[in-house]
Amino acid sequence: MSRAWDRFRQSGSMFGFSTGRGRSGGDVELLGRGSSTHTVRLGRVQPQAPTHRTIYCNDRDSNLPVRFKGNSISTTKYNVLTFLPKGLFEQFRRVANLYFLMISILSTTPISPVHPITNVVPLSLVLFVSLVKEAFEDWKRLLNDRVINNTPVDVLQNEKWESIPWRKLQVGDIIKVRQDGFFPADLLFLASTNPDGICYIETSNLDGETNLKIRKALERTWDYLLPEKAAEFKGEIECEQPNNSLYTFTGNLLIQNQTLPLSPNQLLLRGCSLRNTEYIVGSVIFTGHETKVMMNAMNVPSKRSTLERKLDKLILTLFGVLFFMCVIGAIGSGIFINVNETYLALNGRVEQQFNPNNRFVVAILTMFTLLTLYSTIIPISLYVSIEMIKFIQSTQFINKDLHMYHIETDTPALARTSNLNEELGQVEYIFSDKTGTLTRNLMEFFKCSIDGEMYGTGVTEIERGAATRDGLNIAETKPSSTAIHEKGFNFDDPKIMRGAWRNEHNPSACKEFFRCLAICHTVLPEGDLSPEKIIYQAASPDEAALVTAAKNFGFFFYRRTPTMIMVRESHIEKMGKIQDISYEILNVLEFNSTRKRQSVICRYPNGRLVLYCKGADTVIYERLVDGNHNIKRVTREHLEQFGSSGLRTLCLAYKELSNELYGSWNEKFIQAKSSLRDREKKLDEVAELIENELILIGCTAIEDKLQEGVPSCIETLSRAGIKIWMLTGDKMETAINIAYACNLINNSMKQFTISSETNAIRAIEDRGDQVEIARYVRDSVKHDLERCLQEAERSQKDIPRTKMALIIDGKCLMFALESNLRGKLLRLSLDCNSVVCCRVSPLQKAQVTSLVKKGAKKITLSIGDGANDVSMIQAAHVGVGISGLEGMQAVMASDFSIAQFCFLSDLLLVHGRWAYLRLCKVITYFFYKNLTFTLTQFWFTFQTGFSGQRFYDDWFQSLFNVIFTALPVIILGLFDKDVSASLSKRYPELYLEGIKNMFFKWRVVGVWAFFSVYQSLIFYYFTSAASTNGLNSSGKIFGLWDVSTMAFTCVVVTANVRLLMECNSVTRWHYVSVGGSILSWFVFIFIYSGIMTTFDRQENIYFVIYVLMSTLYFYLTLLLVPIVALLGDFTYKGLQRWFSPYDFQIVQEIHRHEQDYSRRNELLEVTNHLTPDEARSYAISQLPRERSKHTGFAFDSPGYESFFASQHGIFAPHKAWDVARRASTRTNITNS
Amino acid sequence: MEMIHVEEISTSALRSRQISSIHHLRQISFTPKRSKKSEVIYKFTQQNLHACKLSLTPQLVISLFLLMGIIFVPIGFVALHASRSVVEIVNRYDTECMPDEFKSNKVAYIQDISVSKNCTLAIKIPKFMKAPIHIYYQLDNYYQNHRRYVKSRNDKQLQYGLHYIQTSSCMPEEYSNGYPIVPCGLVAWSMFNDTYSFVRHGAPLFINRKNISWKSDRDHKFGEKIFPFNFQNGTLIGGKTLDPTIPLSEQEDLMVWMRASALPSFRKIYGRIEDDLDADEVVFVNIGNNYNTYTFGGKKKLVLSTSNMLLGGKNDFLGLSYITTGFSCIFLAVFFALLHVKNQRPDHDTSHFSWTRKNTIS
């Protein structure tokens, strides 16, 4: 299974790689010095061979001499012969395995104190497990390959389609591919069943795009569709050699002495599939491993978690300790060795290792001896255990968690790599995309204010969140009977719905308001002309929402011709009366980002001339007619209130025009429209002339629908100490607005804005000198940064600390990321609680991510859903993709994929935190266990004249890690839970322990090390001291092997019980594994000491355990030693809990007596005694009322993102509306 | 990556498999009746296995300490009492048995064959000693656990004798005069050869030297038909010579000696006196002080010790450590109890959270 994902990963990342490149080109262009061509390339583009290949279509014999490669593919890593050498080679590339290989080799030499078995058995077990895993994966790959290679395909043979397996396909063959079939090789597209020689293909396997792409065959070849006809096809293709550039292809088709140039348009790539076309006929150009897809196969280095990198340091330290111990022993041995030890017979024949005449050699050799003896200090099974634990964690826990399963889209969470589970528990910075991640890109008309009166009863999520913070719980109110909820409209207010507006205090203002909504727009109606079925195609979802709102208020815009807008108006003169009115549209003054407004001049059927205008509050207010300050003031208050509720606002205004005024203005307009130079600018200037002295009608508030639970998730995450940055390609207004809506920014924060949209910069830009623009912007960015930094540092000292937010746009960011300003940017942004970067390119997203990752050395997570997030996802420590509706690119590049942003809280706070906690425990426990075990040997060395005599039997030592203490630690790594999942989310602050890395600090390791020294001393000295002087009534004495067996029993028991002490929750599996491990030791020793083997070995352990167990000494020691050994840890843990408890321990205590609720029954929220209505009105009244600048204006300029992306060589999908709009425009024109 | 279309096949399969497993889980979680197995799987994947919480609360810590104290102290006293009831007499004789003229050159004394090595010690029995009284010799500073020493033996040869050819492990005592040595190796070669005989009231005391080795050694490890062959015939004599007519399975001294000791100071059993010895009785020991410990400064001691049913010989260590541990546990229990009383952390107190603490400080 992981295999398949691996592949996805590779293809995905290869795409991301290229995006990075494409972007860098784009940035140059921003400065105006770039070249104009940007091709997107995937992967490395290999240098082309100077030659080309010539293919004779439909002629196998002619192609024979060239020996093109076959179409069968093999993706396996190994075959039967290479498996062992290659697999072993792979294994020994791991340092730990290599180390043990060396130790094993050392232990076959006479200097080794241990039998080779001691090191060979664990090593081979570890290798065996790893190799079995490799073999299994490769076997699945092989099966997969077989399936592919044997897929049938129709090939033209003897004027008939014959079905042959893919692998038998040859270059030059003519084949037929049916609808929904995959192309078996790279094909030259010859003919299709579609009349105009086109076919549709889906490339989702290549780049994740699900939208269809069109390929067109050369007109000359259209006819070769039927087998009889196709058999006549004799063409000669001259084309480039196989290469990995997916989007380029050059070649010529020589047919009947004609040379026709070929382009990528005629190329059908292996891996794509045919859609909406009955079948196509094509000729094979590249086969098997020479197809472009296969040549793109690229290995992507997998990410390693920070914890593992720290683990490497620990292992390195252990090597240091090992070396130190060996040196001590070696020096000791050199000093000890002496001819006088007569019983050692050192004066006769003596090996170099014990030759007293050469003490230096003795020391050196003893050093190697001790190296083999103490090799257990490096935990050999650690890596394998960690891999197993992580694998189960990701496949069983993360992938199957129902809390991260999205029912609507039927999408579970997916861990695409198991390397990074614990990294999820330490994330400090989240970089999030906006559209599709935080928002649904769905605009809904939510509230409005007409003539100073506010309408709309809905409560936004942010209001709800603010209320909950104040301890109120706003229940969902039942929608009233007038409430209508459709796409783009989520509004309820009985005061104006269903014509009720006629009874309001100013119905004429309402009428103007609704007409403005219905007339002033550039929307196209589509489909059935009934109110229920009509579909509005709009340049931005905001516009569609406004027109939908007008429809629901009884002003149904249903048809547009180039000069007319037709509106079906209800309830105008009388309730219930319906009439169709056509408004003549005289001029449309379009929206753009500098004007920030849009106007329409229309003539009523009765001749009334009106200009309707909608736009940002700032630009509308500037142009209002004097007077009527009351409405302006009230409306402004409403605007601010909407803004702080996270709604997007627009002001509506109108102006009556006289015929004369309009006539003279229109002349100027036509002049400007027909001017050839600076037309846009002139149009803007003309528009200024008429867009003045407007009368304010009111304002609208549109909710940019957030993804489910986003604000609360963001709040939870920020309580958990995670800082969330929003990186978006959107405009600054939109970005700020969403930041408000998501709780990233609020009015109490100090905001630093660094923008390139200032008048000064615009003035310079108008002059058009790129060099000067760059210089000026750079200076101003530098100046801004310094100013903000000063301010930030000043307010750092405030008590309580002011929260700060930084908002920066892409152009400024480009300069701020330059090396001389980067440091300042980093310092400033790390001081801020949230950062919003708008109008940033994908490359900049990645740059910002790696700025924090590398510059601040913090753990980062990027989350996004689109192709433009790929680079950022790959740059971060952890990449999360939103697996939802569109595209798979982000998912393919990611490490984890989830369906909803709000699942992040589960992923990080629950799974991440647990994984981190568990892994820390596993690692430290391994460290403790092996250190303790090895140290007992070390203490023994001192009493053996530093000879390197082993304390334990060979088999004890070799099985200690792989049998007697192997399973419980894995159980710990899987099941340990400090607090339940619901508590983890209820106390997000617990996550801080991970961010601060509380459980894998050197201090923690030091404590473990201290106690393993203590325990090892207890083990060694207690068992040996207790074993002197006659041990049963018959007065027999125990020897070395008896004492060591006793000590080893104590070590096994203690190590296992110690693990139990480390667990926060103990399941049945804990008992089974801990008990089983201890039991396995006894079973082993009973058998082992009961038999004599025929091998050449010393029967040291023979009968030992039986004699031991016949003495009281055994039982007394077995009771005493583990308890004394654990007494230290136990006391320490008690004191630690007492004097400096970890947060999770306090939570445990607080909820000690509560049942551990299953995760489905979330803990009951604390409720209050207010009725829902009271609570809601109270909550709303509690909202911040201070004057703020934020009024929530946001309006997407048409197709900004895709436009921006495509300009710089990034392939971004055209938005659906874009395509549809173009289509409908066309039909409209034909209609009229 | 390669074959991308395969991926589609395989991933869609994977996805559907995964989704179906999720569906499965959902079914499990929502349907009231579920099979035991799927319930377990559900609980496993949702990490919801039944678990008891282990947290070291003050109450638990205090009671555990108390419990341990209550168990350990009595055991300790019983063990100490048992150990104290053993009468043990230790006599160092390697210096006593040294004639004065050799005091300055001990090595010369022990290597001089012409000098008599016999010596007599008078031991006054301090307390009544009940039979059997074990006779041990104790060697100090003797590294029987040295690596060169420990491995220089061959258990196969002890079992199969000359049938077993491989004796390389016995370096350097494997061959002598061109023949293999049985038993080979340094351990056997350096066998202790001091002798003790006891005289009480002028009459020799019988010393039972049977059954001093492990039964498993006699039965399985040391061959019944293996006779010491070519033993101690080399240029250097290490220690005791063995009677070549007695099979190894009956050479109990050898078996005792060959059971290598754990520490450089060790006792080995020599035999048993099967008569009671009364208090204030004087026992004379005739010692054949043959074994050379003088070159490396090893001490030789003769130990007479009774044994008890519980612990065997005199060993205060276990008793004392039980008592110490027990009392420390009680002490800790009291300490924690005082802490608990004086400074109780109330339940539901959130003021100890690190994040709240930080806020209050700033």
Side-chain angles (χ1 to χ4, degrees), chain A residues 141-320:
Chain A
R141 245 169 268 158
L142 179 72
L143 292 184
N144 233 336
D145 288 347
R146 278 203 190 149
V147 172
I148 296 156
N149 286 335
N150 288 327
T151 318
V153 64
D154 288 337
V155 175
L156 185 70
Q157 274 172 0
N158 306 327
E159 301 194 5
K160 266 194 296 246
W161 296 119
E162 302 253 349
S163 180
I164 63 165
W166 279 22
R167 70 187 138 87
K168 292 198 177 154
L169 213 57
Q170 284 180 19
V171 171
D173 286 352
I174 305 277
I175 61 163
K176 178 174 106 171
V177 178
R178 282 169 230 253
Q179 175 149 352
D180 297 332
F182 290 97
F183 303 121
D186 289 355
L187 307 176
L188 175 71
F189 180 26
L190 294 177
S192 109
T193 48
N194 288 345
D196 44 359
I198 60 162
C199 71
Y200 299 91
I201 61 167
E202 192 185 293
T203 57
S204 64
N205 280 325
L206 253 70
D207 52 20
E209 300 295 339
T210 47
N211 54 341
L212 302 184
K213 308 215 168 47
I214 297 174
R215 291 287 179 270
K216 191 166 183 188
L218 292 176
E219 222 173 315
R220 271 300 268 107
T221 61
W222 283 4
D223 302 333
Y224 300 103
L225 191 64
L226 297 170
E228 308 81 57
K229 183 76 180 152
E232 293 167 17
F233 181 72
K234 292 277 182 233
E236 208 174 295
I237 302 168
E238 270 181 3
C239 66
E240 58 192 26
Q241 287 292 343
N243 61 61
N244 67 344
S245 163
L246 282 181
Y247 296 146
T248 63
F249 176 72
T250 49
N252 289 317
L253 176 65
L254 271 74
I255 178 167
Q256 293 158 4
N257 298 327
Q258 261 183 307
T259 306
L260 305 166
L262 299 175
S263 71
N265 227 348
Q266 285 85 44
L267 193 66
L268 305 174
L269 295 181
R270 177 169 184 158
C272 302
S273 56
L274 187 68
R275 298 273 185 257
N276 296 349
T277 310
E278 196 190 328
Y279 70 88
I280 60 111
V281 172
S283 170
V284 178
I285 302 178
F286 302 126
T287 46
H289 288 280
E290 289 182 337
T291 55
K292 290 191 180 254
V293 164
M294 297 293 281
M295 297 197 66
N296 264 296
M298 194 161 60
N299 284 322
V300 178
S302 59
K303 294 180 186 170
R304 291 189 70 209
S305 73
T306 324
L307 199 67
E308 269 188 40
R309 251 173 278 147
K310 213 171 163 206
L311 173 62
D312 291 347
K313 279 189 202 153
L314 181 65
I315 299 280
L316 220 62
T317 316
L318 280 177
F319 273 117

Side-chain angles (χ1 to χ4, degrees), chain A residues 800-986:
Chain A
R801 220 180 71 103
T802 348
K803 290 193 166 180
M804 289 176 287
L806 172 68
I807 299 145
I808 187 167
D809 76 1
K811 202 179 269 181
C812 295
L813 197 62
M814 185 167 71
F815 295 104
L817 283 171
E818 283 175 4
S819 56
N820 53 336
L821 293 179
R822 205 182 289 155
K824 289 192 178 103
L825 176 70
L826 186 64
R827 255 160 58 212
L828 176 62
S829 47
L830 292 187
D831 282 344
C832 291
N833 295 64
S834 38
V835 175
V836 175
C837 302
C838 35
R839 304 198 81 142
V840 290
S841 65
L843 178 70
Q844 283 179 323
K845 287 183 178 183
Q847 282 175 332
V848 171
T849 311
S850 52
L851 176 73
V852 176
K853 179 182 173 183
K854 301 216 175 87
K857 300 244 179 324
K858 307 280 190 191
I859 298 185
T860 55
L861 178 148
S862 290
I863 179 166
D865 72 323
N868 55 349
D869 305 316
V870 168
S871 54
M872 147 173 114
I873 284 173
Q874 285 178 331
H877 288 98
V878 187
V880 178
I882 299 279
S883 52
L885 309 165
E886 278 182 63
M888 284 284 283
Q889 268 155 317
V891 171
M892 288 194 305
S894 68
D895 306 302
F896 296 90
S897 75
I898 49 180
Q900 287 277 309
F901 181 85
C902 63
F903 292 159
L904 260 192
S905 63
D906 267 286
L907 189 66
L908 297 182
L909 301 185
V910 180
H911 289 283
R913 209 176 71 83
W914 279 348
Y916 164 73
L917 217 72
R918 289 166 181 170
L919 221 71
C920 286
K921 282 189 177 174
V922 168
I923 291 171
T924 46
Y925 176 75
F926 258 102
F927 164 77
Y928 146 82
K929 174 181 89 163
N930 286 30
L931 188 64
T932 311
F933 181 70
T934 313
L935 280 177
T936 54
Q937 298 252 34
F938 183 59
W939 308 131
F940 182 61
T941 304
F942 283 88
Q943 302 209 314
T944 62
F946 303 97
S947 58
Q949 170 59 30
R950 63 185 197 268
F951 189 40
Y952 303 113
D953 186 77
D954 293 321
W955 282 94
F956 295 4
Q957 190 168 340
S958 62
L959 297 183
F960 177 72
N961 264 324
V962 292
I963 304 269
F964 305 138
T965 56
L967 195 58
V969 71
I970 291 178
I971 296 290
L972 172 84
L974 291 181
F975 295 123
D976 193 49
K977 267 201 279 191
D978 54 346
V979 297
S980 67
S982 49
L983 287 178
S984 299
K985 284 194 277 182
R986 189 160 142 192

Side-chain angles (χ1 to χ4, degrees), chain A residues 306-311 313 422-423 425-428 859 916-917 919-920 923-924 990-1005 1142:
Chain A
T306 324
L307 199 67
E308 269 188 40
R309 251 173 278 147
K310 213 171 163 206
L311 173 62
K313 279 189 202 153
E422 73 278 6
E423 196 91 329
Q426 292 188 283
V427 172
E428 192 170 354
I859 298 185
Y916 164 73
L917 217 72
L919 221 71
C920 286
I923 291 171
T924 46
L990 289 177
Y991 191 80
L992 283 165
E993 289 171 340
I995 294 178
K996 293 186 201 143
N997 198 11
M998 299 274 271
F999 301 111
F1000 196 52
K1001 280 182 173 169
W1002 286 112
R1003 212 183 64 112
V1004 176
V1005 174
Y1142 286 118

Side-chain angles (χ1 to χ4, degrees), chain A residues 10 148 205 351 1116 1143, chain B residues 1 4 6 148 156 322 354:
Chain A
Q10 282 163 357
I148 296 156
N205 280 325
E351 313 94 301
L1116 282 181
D1143 292 329
Chain B
M1 177 204 76
I4 288 190
V6 188
R148 179 172 160 90
K156 290 286 160 221
Y322 262 99
S354 61

Side-chain angles (χ1 to χ4, degrees), chain B residues 8-28:
Chain B
E8 211 208 40
I9 300 165
S10 54
T11 30
S12 60
L14 159 97
R15 225 178 125 78
S16 63
R17 206 180 316 140
Q18 191 155 40
I19 285 171
S20 72
S21 76
I22 285 271
H23 274 308
H24 181 56
L25 284 174
R26 275 171 61 210
Q27 265 170 7
I28 298 162

